[in-house]
């Protein structure tokens, strides 16, 4: 696939990158698609893609202009790692229809995933998450989707837009979605029927106020994800005003950066998208600047990965078996010797064990182990046991 034909080169003057500064900046360490050449993808770990598509945005037209606004702030930061192997492919040439954009974005992302290159998508509206999901479908990979959002975006119609893309993913046939996790939903933005539906589907959803009290618990949640979709409206308006759906409540900017660093550290996560940033509503580039920081933290985490996902080499782990009193069952935990992170093994029928190889070893926290030691089965264990037993 000749990727260069699908992207517009970046005009450095448009992003006002201070390339002549005495110090080395982030932009100096990125292979940028310019008018002169398209970057080689050989030995590249991460590819930045701008997708200025907002025709299916709800109450947020103008977010198509976000990619260069984010780049302006990102390029001017100091690099998070001297090991950076990052290419910026430029801005995707938008299709004649939204469906055309989805199609070509899916093809490009699938190609990058097969090359084991992690795409960072700069939206555009969040319905582009659907195209990201379709890329995994195209390569035949069953995945976990993680969303940072004040809503579930489940929608109540057959339309595909920025607030209904999840519905299209859930009803896809064949379906490659194993689990969906949302952190940061706000009850007054979500109807009770949708909350009940999330529970019926055995998806993991966490209210903003609840998860903010235990931000450390987000780490095992995001460690279990293959793709991450971030709606900037999940961040409070005072920290991220650049969005037509901004709200007084939401995550703080530093909490968003904490989440993206967790994502970077996860060996399992292979794509991330930042959506709904709208320069038309922004103040002094504040939202673009926060998004640039979140990307910086993701890349910093990426280059500090421990490569300790258990199914690769269980010899690098301490194994703990907890027997439950009055029951014949037991729960097996693994603790990484490299990172001190925890996983627990979920019983899985042999007939589907190969199919769910990446899913029956579930990231957890020390508190799950403590719960088992108190002769209780952790809620996280029950949720995944029920999913694997279907």
């Amino acid at each position: 696939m000749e990727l260069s034909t699908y992207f517009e080169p970046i005009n450095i003057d448009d992003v006002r990158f201070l390339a002549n500064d005495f110090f080395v900046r982030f932009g100096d360490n990125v292979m940028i698609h310019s008018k002169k050449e398209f970057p080689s993808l050989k030995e590249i770990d991460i590819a930045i893609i701008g997708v200025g598509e907002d025709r299916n945005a709800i109450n947020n037209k103008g977010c198509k202009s976000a990619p260069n606004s984010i780049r302006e702030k990102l390029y001017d930061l100091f690099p998070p790692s001297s090991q950076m192997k990052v290419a910026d492919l430029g801005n995707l040439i938008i299709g004649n229809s939204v469906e055309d954009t989805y199609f070509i974005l899916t093809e490009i992302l699938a190609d990058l995933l097969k090359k084991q290159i992690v795409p960072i998508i700069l939206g555009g509206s969040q319905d582009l998450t659907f195209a990201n999901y379709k890329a995994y479908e195209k390569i035949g990979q069953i995945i976990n989707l993680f969303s940072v959002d004040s809503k579930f975006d489940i929608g109540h119609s057959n339309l595909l837009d920025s607030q209904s893309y999840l519905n299209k993913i859930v009803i896809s046939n064949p379906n490659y979605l194993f689990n969906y996790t949302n952190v940061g939903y706000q009850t007054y933005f979500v109807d009770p029927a949708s909350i009940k539906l999330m529970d019926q589907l055995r998806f993991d959803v966490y209210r903003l106020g609840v998860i903010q009290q235990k931000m450390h618990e987000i780490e095992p949640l995001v460690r279990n994800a293959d793709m991450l979709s971030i709606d900037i409206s999940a961040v409070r308006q005072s920290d991220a005003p650049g969005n037509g759906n901004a709200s007084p409540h939401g995550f703080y900017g530093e909490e968003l950066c904490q989440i993206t660093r967790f994502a970077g550290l996860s060996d399992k996560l292979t794509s991330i998208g930042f959506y709904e940033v709208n320069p038309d509503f922004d103040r002094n580039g504040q939202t673009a600047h926060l998004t640039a920081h979140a990307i910086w933290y993701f890349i910093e985490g990426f280059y500090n990965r421990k490569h300790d996902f258990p199914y690769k080499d269980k010899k690098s782990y301490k194994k703990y078996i907890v027997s439950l009193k009055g029951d014949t069952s037991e729960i097996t935990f693994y603790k990484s010797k490299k990172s001190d992170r925890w996983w627990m093994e979920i019983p899985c029928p042999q007939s589907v064990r190969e199919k769910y190889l990446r899913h029956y070893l579930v990231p957890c926290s020390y508190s799950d182990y403590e719960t088992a030691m108190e002769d209780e089965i952790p809620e996280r264990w029950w949720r995944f046991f029920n999913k694997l037993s279907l």
Side-chain angles (χ1 to χ4, degrees):
M1 186 177 188
E2 188 56 52
L3 294 183
S4 61
T5 60
Y6 299 104
F7 288 93
E8 295 175 342
I10 297 168
N11 186 339
I12 297 298
D13 293 334
D14 290 341
V15 296
R16 298 193 292 278
F17 166 45
L18 302 179
N20 296 321
D21 196 277
F22 176 77
F23 299 102
V24 174
R25 303 290 180 132
F26 185 100
D28 292 310
N29 282 21
V30 176
M31 291 191 292
I32 299 172
H33 178 196
S34 65
K35 293 180 180 179
K36 295 182 180 179
E37 62 179 339
F38 188 81
S40 169
L41 298 185
K42 294 179 180 179
E43 299 183 3
I44 288 299
D45 300 319
I46 297 170
I48 298 172
I49 298 173
V51 188
E53 175 64 80
D54 70 353
R55 283 173 285 186
N56 280 346
I58 301 297
N59 302 324
N60 200 35
K61 290 292 195 296
C63 59
K64 65 181 180 182
S65 303
N68 280 0
S69 296
I70 296 169
R71 286 186 176 101
E72 179 182 341
K73 302 300 183 183
L74 178 63
Y75 283 179
D76 209 31
L77 301 176
F78 286 99
S81 170
S82 59
Q83 305 171 38
M84 270 178 49
K85 295 178 181 178
V86 178
D88 190 331
L89 307 188
N91 292 324
L92 185 70
I93 298 172
I94 301 305
N96 292 326
S97 67
V98 182
E99 290 72 23
D100 291 339
T101 302
Y102 295 153
F103 176 81
I104 192 57
L105 181 58
T106 294
E107 295 291 318
I108 290 167
L109 294 177
D111 188 57
L112 292 174
L113 291 171
K114 284 188 286 188
K115 290 182 170 70
Q116 297 186 319
I117 296 173
V118 175
I120 297 177
I121 305 161
L122 308 181
S125 49
Q126 202 181 12
D127 49 291
L128 296 170
T129 303
F130 178 71
N132 193 0
Y133 162 78
K134 295 290 283 186
Y136 289 96
E137 179 183 292
K138 186 174 179 62
I139 64 174
Q141 181 175 321
I142 297 172
I143 66 160
N144 296 327
L145 165 60
F146 188 102
S147 174
V148 180
D149 205 330
S150 59
K151 305 180 182 71
F152 300 146
D153 296 329
I154 195 71
H156 295 285
S157 71
N158 291 324
L159 298 177
L160 173 56
D161 57 44
S162 62
Q163 295 185 6
S164 67
Y165 70 86
L166 181 59
N167 184 51
K168 287 290 187 181
I169 292 175
V170 170
I171 65 175
S172 293
N173 188 22
N175 196 277
Y176 287 83
L177 180 66
F178 180 75
N179 193 48
Y180 167 75
T181 300
N182 168 283
V183 295
Y185 84 88
Q186 299 175 39
T187 311
Y188 35 76
F189 292 146
V190 180
D191 68 271
S194 294
I195 298 175
K196 184 178 180 180
L197 177 62
M198 293 294 110
D199 186 60
Q200 291 172 342
L201 293 171
R202 298 188 175 91
F203 289 159
D204 300 316
V205 296
Y206 298 85
R207 282 183 63 180
L208 174 68
V210 173
I211 203 67
Q212 282 185 310
Q213 298 302 313
K214 46 182 181 181
M215 285 294 293
H216 63 281
E217 287 293 334
I218 291 183
E219 190 280 325
L221 295 174
V222 77
R223 187 170 13 120
N224 198 35
D226 295 279
M227 61 175 283
L228 176 56
S229 175
I230 297 172
D231 185 335
I232 202 65
S233 69
V235 179
R236 60 183 55 210
Q237 191 170 23
S238 58
D239 285 13
N243 178 271
N245 298 299
S247 163
H249 297 116
F251 286 111
Y252 289 97
E254 56 265 42
E255 290 173 333
L256 175 66
C257 292
Q258 187 176 356
I259 293 170
T260 58
R261 187 174 190 275
F262 286 153
L265 286 167
S266 170
D267 298 320
K268 194 175 182 182
L269 193 132
T270 49
S271 66
I272 186 170
F274 297 84
Y275 305 105
E276 305 291 336
V277 174
N278 194 330
D280 292 346
F281 295 104
D282 213 358
R283 291 198 301 265
N284 299 319
Q286 181 178 338
T287 312
H289 209 161
L290 172 59
T291 306
H293 287 187
I295 294 169
W296 187 99
Y297 274 101
F298 173 78
I299 295 174
E300 193 266 346
F302 180 89
Y303 284 104
N304 281 283
R305 289 185 172 185
K306 304 301 182 183
H307 306 290
D308 61 354
F309 193 63
Y311 77 85
K312 293 181 178 179
D313 181 14
K314 291 183 181 178
K315 294 180 181 178
S316 300
Y317 297 79
K318 292 181 180 179
K319 184 176 180 179
Y320 299 83
I321 299 176
V322 180
S323 298
L324 302 176
K325 296 178 183 178
D327 199 334
T328 57
S329 61
E330 58 186 26
I331 301 178
T332 302
F333 291 87
Y334 295 94
K335 181 183 178 182
S336 170
K337 296 177 183 177
K338 290 182 179 180
S339 65
D340 289 335
R341 297 187 296 189
W342 290 78
W343 285 260
M344 57 184 171
E345 189 168 345
I346 310 298
C348 181
Q350 194 64 39
S351 59
V352 294
R353 198 171 180 85
E354 184 65 28
K355 177 181 179 181
Y356 293 125
L357 179 64
R358 301 171 63 257
H359 301 285
Y360 68 81
L361 286 167
V362 177
C364 64
S365 63
Y366 178 64
S367 63
D368 291 303
Y369 173 73
E370 289 183 309
T371 298
M373 289 296 290
E374 292 173 0
D375 203 33
E376 294 181 25
I377 298 178
E379 181 183 353
R380 201 192 313 265
W381 189 96
W382 271 120
R383 280 191 171 274
F384 281 90
F385 175 77
N386 288 331
K387 291 179 77 70
L388 289 168
S389 300
L390 290 176

